[in-house]
Amino acid sequence: MDQLSNFLLVASTLLDLKTARLLPAGTVEDELDLELLEARDLLFARLLQYRAYKAVSFELGERITQTGYSVANSGNMSDFQGVLPPLIMSATTEMLAAMYATVLARDTTPPTVSIDHIHLQHVSVPEQRAHILGLLTEHETITFDELAQTADSTLVVVARFLALLELFKAGTIDLDQEAPLSTLVISGRTHDTTDHTD
């Protein structure tokens, strides 16, 4: 609270002096106040410098204490020569050549991540619709199980199912299913075997 009070006193006095000098008819009531304020500011600045120097000296003392336990390496490695047993090369040139040939024979192809599942093939519903109509010209009836078993992928199965819906909506085929989840039988209508969706 004392520091805050002193700061507010200095700030208010400075503001009063600056305001008095900026106004056209402003005068400073007491020149002694200005001298005391300048002396106080100088003392305050020196106190801040002292606090900063004290903090830096404390930090340097801590670091000197910590590094006092460290010992610099002289760079002489002769003391470590007898730590490990001497290295004895027992490999012949033929053994080294065989190891080198084994390394060269390895597959150095870097591993790759397959992205085939990202770029799926495009399946045309009109093509599958034409395929179904072609089967109906050769056979009187076909089943959806047969269409699914001859499909190359799941996308082809979906495209063929959508083609069946389009053909049924156009009135080109008939769908018959005796019970739920039973075999779906597809047959062409005798009075109209053309594709009305084109």
Side-chain angles (χ1 to χ4, degrees):
M1 291 298 295
D2 293 339
Q3 293 180 358
L4 181 60
S5 301
N6 291 333
F7 173 76
L8 291 176
L9 176 61
V10 172
S12 61
T13 307
L14 269 177
L15 184 61
D16 186 21
L17 292 174
K18 288 181 180 290
T19 304
R21 291 192 175 188
L22 287 174
L23 294 175
T27 57
V28 180
E29 296 179 358
D30 192 356
E31 292 293 338
L32 183 61
D33 290 342
L34 182 59
E35 295 178 1
L36 292 175
L37 182 61
E38 291 178 353
R40 182 180 297 177
D41 289 343
L42 182 60
L43 178 61
F44 184 67
R46 288 180 177 174
L47 285 175
L48 289 179
Q49 290 178 355
Y50 169 73
R51 180 181 295 178
Y53 289 144
K54 187 176 180 180
V56 171
S57 63
F58 178 77
E59 182 67 24
L60 290 176
E62 288 290 328
R63 294 191 179 186
I64 290 173
T65 303
Q66 293 176 0
T67 55
Y69 299 102
S70 303
V71 178
N73 186 4
S74 61
N76 186 9
M77 303 299 291
S78 60
D79 299 336
F80 302 98
Q81 290 181 355
V83 174
L84 295 176
L87 178 62
I88 300 175
M89 290 291 294
S90 59
T92 62
T93 55
E94 290 78 8
M95 295 174 62
L96 294 176
M99 294 171 59
Y100 182 68
T102 303
V103 172
L104 291 181
R106 292 179 181 174
D107 186 12
T108 57
T109 304
T112 58
V113 178
S114 176
I115 57 174
D116 296 337
H117 61 286
I118 299 177
H119 305 286
L120 298 176
Q121 60 176 348
H122 297 282
V123 180
S124 173
V125 175
E127 289 181 1
Q128 300 303 320
R129 188 174 57 206
H131 174 71
I132 294 172
L133 291 176
L135 291 176
L136 288 176
T137 57
E138 299 176 0
H139 308 282
E140 185 177 351
T141 61
I142 56 175
T143 63
F144 185 75
D145 293 339
E146 296 173 353
L147 292 177
Q149 290 174 1
T150 58
D152 298 336
S153 63
T154 307
L155 289 178
V156 176
V157 176
V158 175
R160 289 182 179 179
F161 180 75
L162 295 176
L164 286 177
L165 295 179
E166 289 184 1
L167 292 172
F168 182 76
K169 182 179 180 181
T172 307
I173 62 172
D174 287 326
L175 302 176
D176 187 20
Q177 192 174 28
E178 295 181 357
L181 301 179
S182 62
T183 303
L184 181 65
V185 180
I186 307 157
S187 60
R189 292 189 179 179
T190 57
H191 64 278
D192 189 6
T193 57
T194 59
D195 187 3
H196 296 289
T197 59
D198 290 338

